[in-house]
PDB file of all heavy atoms in Angstrom:
ATOM      1  N   GLY A 144      12.999  -1.154 -18.201  1.00 86.00           N
ATOM      2  CA  GLY A 144      11.836  -0.964 -19.048  1.00 86.00           C
ATOM      3  C   GLY A 144      10.570  -1.502 -18.426  1.00 86.00           C
ATOM      4  O   GLY A 144      10.489  -1.778 -17.220  1.00 86.00           O
ATOM      5  N   PHE A 145       9.568  -1.698 -19.275  1.00 88.00           N
ATOM      6  CA  PHE A 145       8.243  -2.056 -18.792  1.00 88.00           C
ATOM      7  C   PHE A 145       8.210  -3.432 -18.138  1.00 88.00           C
ATOM      8  O   PHE A 145       7.604  -3.616 -17.077  1.00 88.00           O
ATOM      9  CB  PHE A 145       7.249  -2.000 -19.954  1.00 88.00           C
ATOM     10  CG  PHE A 145       5.839  -2.278 -19.535  1.00 88.00           C
ATOM     11  CD1 PHE A 145       5.107  -1.330 -18.854  1.00 88.00           C
ATOM     12  CD2 PHE A 145       5.241  -3.493 -19.820  1.00 88.00           C
ATOM     13  CE1 PHE A 145       3.812  -1.587 -18.452  1.00 88.00           C
ATOM     14  CE2 PHE A 145       3.943  -3.761 -19.432  1.00 88.00           C
ATOM     15  CZ  PHE A 145       3.225  -2.803 -18.750  1.00 88.00           C
ATOM     16  N   SER A 146       8.860  -4.415 -18.756  1.00 90.00           N
ATOM     17  CA  SER A 146       8.853  -5.761 -18.179  1.00 90.00           C
ATOM     18  C   SER A 146       9.550  -5.785 -16.826  1.00 90.00           C
ATOM     19  O   SER A 146       9.105  -6.468 -15.899  1.00 90.00           O
ATOM     20  CB  SER A 146       9.528  -6.745 -19.137  1.00 90.00           C
ATOM     21  OG  SER A 146       8.804  -6.856 -20.339  1.00 90.00           O
ATOM     22  N   ALA A 147      10.646  -5.047 -16.708  1.00 93.00           N
ATOM     23  CA  ALA A 147      11.353  -4.969 -15.422  1.00 93.00           C
ATOM     24  C   ALA A 147      10.477  -4.304 -14.369  1.00 93.00           C
ATOM     25  O   ALA A 147      10.469  -4.723 -13.202  1.00 93.00           O
ATOM     26  CB  ALA A 147      12.662  -4.200 -15.594  1.00 93.00           C
ATOM     27  N   PHE A 148       9.733  -3.284 -14.776  1.00 94.00           N
ATOM     28  CA  PHE A 148       8.810  -2.637 -13.839  1.00 94.00           C
ATOM     29  C   PHE A 148       7.750  -3.615 -13.363  1.00 94.00           C
ATOM     30  O   PHE A 148       7.466  -3.708 -12.154  1.00 94.00           O
ATOM     31  CB  PHE A 148       8.155  -1.427 -14.507  1.00 94.00           C
ATOM     32  CG  PHE A 148       6.880  -0.991 -13.846  1.00 94.00           C
ATOM     33  CD1 PHE A 148       6.889  -0.362 -12.611  1.00 94.00           C
ATOM     34  CD2 PHE A 148       5.654  -1.240 -14.461  1.00 94.00           C
ATOM     35  CE1 PHE A 148       5.701   0.014 -11.994  1.00 94.00           C
ATOM     36  CE2 PHE A 148       4.468  -0.866 -13.857  1.00 94.00           C
ATOM     37  CZ  PHE A 148       4.485  -0.237 -12.620  1.00 94.00           C
ATOM     38  N   LEU A 149       7.140  -4.359 -14.286  1.00 94.00           N
ATOM     39  CA  LEU A 149       6.099  -5.310 -13.906  1.00 94.00           C
ATOM     40  C   LEU A 149       6.633  -6.396 -12.979  1.00 94.00           C
ATOM     41  O   LEU A 149       5.960  -6.825 -12.039  1.00 94.00           O
ATOM     42  CB  LEU A 149       5.478  -5.945 -15.148  1.00 94.00           C
ATOM     43  CG  LEU A 149       4.327  -5.205 -15.818  1.00 94.00           C
ATOM     44  CD1 LEU A 149       3.783  -6.032 -16.968  1.00 94.00           C
ATOM     45  CD2 LEU A 149       3.216  -4.887 -14.831  1.00 94.00           C
ATOM     46  N   GLU A 150       7.857  -6.855 -13.256  1.00 96.00           N
ATOM     47  CA  GLU A 150       8.444  -7.883 -12.409  1.00 96.00           C
ATOM     48  C   GLU A 150       8.668  -7.352 -10.995  1.00 96.00           C
ATOM     49  O   GLU A 150       8.421  -8.053 -10.004  1.00 96.00           O
ATOM     50  CB  GLU A 150       9.768  -8.360 -13.008  1.00 96.00           C
ATOM     51  CG  GLU A 150      10.374  -9.533 -12.249  1.00 96.00           C
ATOM     52  CD  GLU A 150      11.703  -9.974 -12.829  1.00 96.00           C
ATOM     53  OE1 GLU A 150      12.322  -9.190 -13.577  1.00 96.00           O
ATOM     54  OE2 GLU A 150      12.128 -11.100 -12.515  1.00 96.00           O
ATOM     55  N   ASP A 151       9.118  -6.115 -10.899  1.00 97.00           N
ATOM     56  CA  ASP A 151       9.311  -5.485  -9.589  1.00 97.00           C
ATOM     57  C   ASP A 151       7.969  -5.299  -8.891  1.00 97.00           C
ATOM     58  O   ASP A 151       7.802  -5.651  -7.710  1.00 97.00           O
ATOM     59  CB  ASP A 151      10.012  -4.140  -9.781  1.00 97.00           C
ATOM     60  CG  ASP A 151      10.484  -3.519  -8.467  1.00 97.00           C
ATOM     61  OD1 ASP A 151      10.202  -4.093  -7.398  1.00 97.00           O
ATOM     62  OD2 ASP A 151      11.124  -2.448  -8.508  1.00 97.00           O
ATOM     63  N   PHE A 152       7.000  -4.753  -9.599  1.00 97.00           N
ATOM     64  CA  PHE A 152       5.679  -4.497  -9.017  1.00 97.00           C
ATOM     65  C   PHE A 152       5.039  -5.791  -8.507  1.00 97.00           C
ATOM     66  O   PHE A 152       4.503  -5.845  -7.395  1.00 97.00           O
ATOM     67  CB  PHE A 152       4.777  -3.841 -10.062  1.00 97.00           C
ATOM     68  CG  PHE A 152       3.400  -3.507  -9.569  1.00 97.00           C
ATOM     69  CD1 PHE A 152       3.130  -2.287  -8.962  1.00 97.00           C
ATOM     70  CD2 PHE A 152       2.358  -4.415  -9.713  1.00 97.00           C
ATOM     71  CE1 PHE A 152       1.858  -1.990  -8.492  1.00 97.00           C
ATOM     72  CE2 PHE A 152       1.081  -4.121  -9.259  1.00 97.00           C
ATOM     73  CZ  PHE A 152       0.833  -2.896  -8.655  1.00 97.00           C
ATOM     74  N   SER A 153       5.101  -6.840  -9.316  1.00 97.00           N
ATOM     75  CA  SER A 153       4.442  -8.100  -8.938  1.00 97.00           C
ATOM     76  C   SER A 153       5.212  -8.858  -7.864  1.00 97.00           C
ATOM     77  O   SER A 153       4.701  -9.836  -7.310  1.00 97.00           O
ATOM     78  CB  SER A 153       4.269  -8.998 -10.166  1.00 97.00           C
ATOM     79  OG  SER A 153       5.520  -9.318 -10.750  1.00 97.00           O
ATOM     80  N   SER A 154       6.424  -8.410  -7.536  1.00 98.00           N
ATOM     81  CA  SER A 154       7.186  -9.029  -6.453  1.00 98.00           C
ATOM     82  C   SER A 154       6.874  -8.408  -5.099  1.00 98.00           C
ATOM     83  O   SER A 154       7.269  -8.948  -4.066  1.00 98.00           O
ATOM     84  CB  SER A 154       8.694  -8.900  -6.730  1.00 98.00           C
ATOM     85  OG  SER A 154       9.065  -9.638  -7.875  1.00 98.00           O
ATOM     86  N   ARG A 155       6.179  -7.274  -5.101  1.00 98.00           N
ATOM     87  CA  ARG A 155       5.789  -6.671  -3.824  1.00 98.00           C
ATOM     88  C   ARG A 155       4.725  -7.532  -3.155  1.00 98.00           C
ATOM     89  O   ARG A 155       3.857  -8.091  -3.830  1.00 98.00           O
ATOM     90  CB  ARG A 155       5.231  -5.259  -4.035  1.00 98.00           C
ATOM     91  CG  ARG A 155       6.157  -4.241  -4.693  1.00 98.00           C
ATOM     92  CD  ARG A 155       7.509  -4.180  -4.049  1.00 98.00           C
ATOM     93  NE  ARG A 155       8.523  -4.857  -4.853  1.00 98.00           N
ATOM     94  CZ  ARG A 155       9.577  -5.470  -4.349  1.00 98.00           C
ATOM     95  NH1 ARG A 155       9.740  -5.569  -3.044  1.00 98.00           N
ATOM     96  NH2 ARG A 155      10.447  -6.033  -5.152  1.00 98.00           N
ATOM     97  N   ILE A 156       4.783  -7.650  -1.853  1.00 98.00           N
ATOM     98  CA  ILE A 156       3.811  -8.477  -1.129  1.00 98.00           C
ATOM     99  C   ILE A 156       2.472  -7.746  -1.074  1.00 98.00           C
ATOM    100  O   ILE A 156       2.391  -6.589  -0.664  1.00 98.00           O
ATOM    101  CB  ILE A 156       4.317  -8.806   0.278  1.00 98.00           C
ATOM    102  CG1 ILE A 156       5.484  -9.796   0.183  1.00 98.00           C
ATOM    103  CG2 ILE A 156       3.199  -9.396   1.134  1.00 98.00           C
ATOM    104  CD1 ILE A 156       6.023 -10.249   1.515  1.00 98.00           C
ATOM    105  N   TRP A 157       1.434  -8.437  -1.500  1.00 98.00           N
ATOM    106  CA  TRP A 157       0.081  -7.891  -1.623  1.00 98.00           C
ATOM    107  C   TRP A 157      -0.793  -8.567  -0.567  1.00 98.00           C
ATOM    108  O   TRP A 157      -0.935  -9.789  -0.552  1.00 98.00           O
ATOM    109  CB  TRP A 157      -0.435  -8.181  -3.029  1.00 98.00           C
ATOM    110  CG  TRP A 157      -1.818  -7.744  -3.343  1.00 98.00           C
ATOM    111  CD1 TRP A 157      -2.395  -6.544  -3.094  1.00 98.00           C
ATOM    112  CD2 TRP A 157      -2.815  -8.523  -4.028  1.00 98.00           C
ATOM    113  NE1 TRP A 157      -3.682  -6.500  -3.578  1.00 98.00           N
ATOM    114  CE2 TRP A 157      -3.968  -7.703  -4.162  1.00 98.00           C
ATOM    115  CE3 TRP A 157      -2.851  -9.807  -4.559  1.00 98.00           C
ATOM    116  CZ2 TRP A 157      -5.134  -8.148  -4.786  1.00 98.00           C
ATOM    117  CZ3 TRP A 157      -4.001 -10.256  -5.191  1.00 98.00           C
ATOM    118  CH2 TRP A 157      -5.129  -9.431  -5.298  1.00 98.00           C
ATOM    119  N   ILE A 158      -1.357  -7.785   0.335  1.00 98.00           N
ATOM    120  CA  ILE A 158      -2.181  -8.329   1.416  1.00 98.00           C
ATOM    121  C   ILE A 158      -3.575  -7.724   1.311  1.00 98.00           C
ATOM    122  O   ILE A 158      -3.729  -6.502   1.238  1.00 98.00           O
ATOM    123  CB  ILE A 158      -1.554  -8.030   2.788  1.00 98.00           C
ATOM    124  CG1 ILE A 158      -0.134  -8.616   2.845  1.00 98.00           C
ATOM    125  CG2 ILE A 158      -2.404  -8.615   3.915  1.00 98.00           C
ATOM    126  CD1 ILE A 158       0.601  -8.337   4.147  1.00 98.00           C
ATOM    127  N   THR A 159      -4.580  -8.577   1.301  1.00 98.00           N
ATOM    128  CA  THR A 159      -5.948  -8.147   1.013  1.00 98.00           C
ATOM    129  C   THR A 159      -6.921  -8.637   2.083  1.00 98.00           C
ATOM    130  O   THR A 159      -6.550  -9.340   3.026  1.00 98.00           O
ATOM    131  CB  THR A 159      -6.401  -8.700  -0.351  1.00 98.00           C
ATOM    132  OG1 THR A 159      -6.629 -10.120  -0.226  1.00 98.00           O
ATOM    133  CG2 THR A 159      -5.358  -8.458  -1.432  1.00 98.00           C
ATOM    134  N   TYR A 160      -8.188  -8.226   1.877  1.00 97.00           N
ATOM    135  CA  TYR A 160      -9.267  -8.807   2.684  1.00 97.00           C
ATOM    136  C   TYR A 160      -9.171 -10.332   2.626  1.00 97.00           C
ATOM    137  O   TYR A 160      -8.903 -10.920   1.581  1.00 97.00           O
ATOM    138  CB  TYR A 160     -10.624  -8.428   2.100  1.00 97.00           C
ATOM    139  CG  TYR A 160     -11.077  -7.002   2.300  1.00 97.00           C
ATOM    140  CD1 TYR A 160     -11.970  -6.421   1.401  1.00 97.00           C
ATOM    141  CD2 TYR A 160     -10.659  -6.245   3.379  1.00 97.00           C
ATOM    142  CE1 TYR A 160     -12.438  -5.121   1.570  1.00 97.00           C
ATOM    143  CE2 TYR A 160     -11.109  -4.946   3.568  1.00 97.00           C
ATOM    144  CZ  TYR A 160     -11.994  -4.388   2.658  1.00 97.00           C
ATOM    145  OH  TYR A 160     -12.440  -3.107   2.826  1.00 97.00           O
ATOM    146  N   ARG A 161      -9.442 -10.956   3.754  1.00 98.00           N
ATOM    147  CA  ARG A 161      -9.514 -12.415   3.801  1.00 98.00           C
ATOM    148  C   ARG A 161     -10.808 -12.835   4.492  1.00 98.00           C
ATOM    149  O   ARG A 161     -11.362 -12.096   5.303  1.00 98.00           O
ATOM    150  CB  ARG A 161      -8.321 -12.994   4.567  1.00 98.00           C
ATOM    151  CG  ARG A 161      -6.959 -12.741   3.934  1.00 98.00           C
ATOM    152  CD  ARG A 161      -6.660 -13.674   2.788  1.00 98.00           C
ATOM    153  NE  ARG A 161      -5.365 -13.393   2.182  1.00 98.00           N
ATOM    154  CZ  ARG A 161      -4.789 -14.151   1.262  1.00 98.00           C
ATOM    155  NH1 ARG A 161      -5.404 -15.256   0.844  1.00 98.00           N
ATOM    156  NH2 ARG A 161      -3.630 -13.826   0.738  1.00 98.00           N
ATOM    157  N   LYS A 162     -11.250 -14.014   4.170  1.00 97.00           N
ATOM    158  CA  LYS A 162     -12.427 -14.577   4.826  1.00 97.00           C
ATOM    159  C   LYS A 162     -12.143 -16.027   5.185  1.00 97.00           C
ATOM    160  O   LYS A 162     -11.347 -16.701   4.539  1.00 97.00           O
ATOM    161  CB  LYS A 162     -13.658 -14.487   3.916  1.00 97.00           C
ATOM    162  CG  LYS A 162     -13.533 -15.258   2.599  1.00 97.00           C
ATOM    163  CD  LYS A 162     -14.786 -15.103   1.754  1.00 97.00           C
ATOM    164  CE  LYS A 162     -14.660 -15.877   0.439  1.00 97.00           C
ATOM    165  NZ  LYS A 162     -15.885 -15.745  -0.383  1.00 97.00           N
ATOM    166  N   GLY A 163     -12.798 -16.471   6.242  1.00 96.00           N
ATOM    167  CA  GLY A 163     -12.649 -17.862   6.648  1.00 96.00           C
ATOM    168  C   GLY A 163     -11.534 -18.107   7.640  1.00 96.00           C
ATOM    169  O   GLY A 163     -11.150 -19.259   7.846  1.00 96.00           O
ATOM    170  N   PHE A 164     -11.022 -17.063   8.279  1.00 96.00           N
ATOM    171  CA  PHE A 164     -10.010 -17.299   9.310  1.00 96.00           C
ATOM    172  C   PHE A 164     -10.685 -17.455  10.670  1.00 96.00           C
ATOM    173  O   PHE A 164     -11.896 -17.244  10.816  1.00 96.00           O
ATOM    174  CB  PHE A 164      -8.958 -16.181   9.330  1.00 96.00           C
ATOM    175  CG  PHE A 164      -9.499 -14.782   9.372  1.00 96.00           C
ATOM    176  CD1 PHE A 164     -10.130 -14.271  10.504  1.00 96.00           C
ATOM    177  CD2 PHE A 164      -9.358 -13.940   8.264  1.00 96.00           C
ATOM    178  CE1 PHE A 164     -10.599 -12.971  10.536  1.00 96.00           C
ATOM    179  CE2 PHE A 164      -9.828 -12.637   8.289  1.00 96.00           C
ATOM    180  CZ  PHE A 164     -10.447 -12.148   9.427  1.00 96.00           C
ATOM    181  N   SER A 165      -9.914 -17.837  11.676  1.00 95.00           N
ATOM    182  CA  SER A 165     -10.460 -18.012  13.019  1.00 95.00           C
ATOM    183  C   SER A 165     -10.950 -16.677  13.557  1.00 95.00           C
ATOM    184  O   SER A 165     -10.426 -15.614  13.211  1.00 95.00           O
ATOM    185  CB  SER A 165      -9.390 -18.596  13.953  1.00 95.00           C
ATOM    186  OG  SER A 165      -8.253 -17.747  14.010  1.00 95.00           O
ATOM    187  N   ALA A 166     -11.956 -16.725  14.427  1.00 96.00           N
ATOM    188  CA  ALA A 166     -12.563 -15.513  14.947  1.00 96.00           C
ATOM    189  C   ALA A 166     -11.526 -14.639  15.644  1.00 96.00           C
ATOM    190  O   ALA A 166     -10.610 -15.128  16.310  1.00 96.00           O
ATOM    191  CB  ALA A 166     -13.688 -15.858  15.917  1.00 96.00           C
ATOM    192  N   ILE A 167     -11.676 -13.322  15.479  1.00 95.00           N
ATOM    193  CA  ILE A 167     -10.744 -12.364  16.064  1.00 95.00           C
ATOM    194  C   ILE A 167     -11.122 -12.120  17.521  1.00 95.00           C
ATOM    195  O   ILE A 167     -12.204 -11.575  17.817  1.00 95.00           O
ATOM    196  CB  ILE A 167     -10.766 -11.047  15.284  1.00 95.00           C
ATOM    197  CG1 ILE A 167     -10.314 -11.283  13.835  1.00 95.00           C
ATOM    198  CG2 ILE A 167      -9.882 -10.012  15.952  1.00 95.00           C
ATOM    199  CD1 ILE A 167     -10.430 -10.062  12.952  1.00 95.00           C
ATOM    200  N   GLY A 168     -10.243 -12.509  18.426  1.00 91.00           N
ATOM    201  CA  GLY A 168     -10.488 -12.291  19.849  1.00 91.00           C
ATOM    202  C   GLY A 168     -11.820 -12.855  20.302  1.00 91.00           C
ATOM    203  O   GLY A 168     -12.168 -13.995  19.995  1.00 91.00           O
ATOM    204  N   ASP A 169     -12.575 -12.033  21.023  1.00 91.00           N
ATOM    205  CA  ASP A 169     -13.885 -12.447  21.530  1.00 91.00           C
ATOM    206  C   ASP A 169     -15.017 -12.123  20.557  1.00 91.00           C
ATOM    207  O   ASP A 169     -16.174 -12.360  20.863  1.00 91.00           O
ATOM    208  CB  ASP A 169     -14.169 -11.751  22.872  1.00 91.00           C
ATOM    209  CG  ASP A 169     -13.172 -12.156  23.949  1.00 91.00           C
ATOM    210  OD1 ASP A 169     -12.678 -13.295  23.881  1.00 91.00           O
ATOM    211  OD2 ASP A 169     -12.896 -11.327  24.836  1.00 91.00           O
TER     212      ASP A 169
END
Side-chain angles (χ1 to χ4, degrees):
F145 183 75
S146 296
F148 160 72
L149 274 184
E150 186 182 18
D151 190 356
F152 181 88
S153 60
S154 295
R155 301 310 104 211
I156 289 183
W157 178 47
I158 302 178
T159 72
Y160 286 154
R161 296 281 179 172
K162 61 181 180 179
F164 50 70
S165 59
I167 298 174
D169 297 330

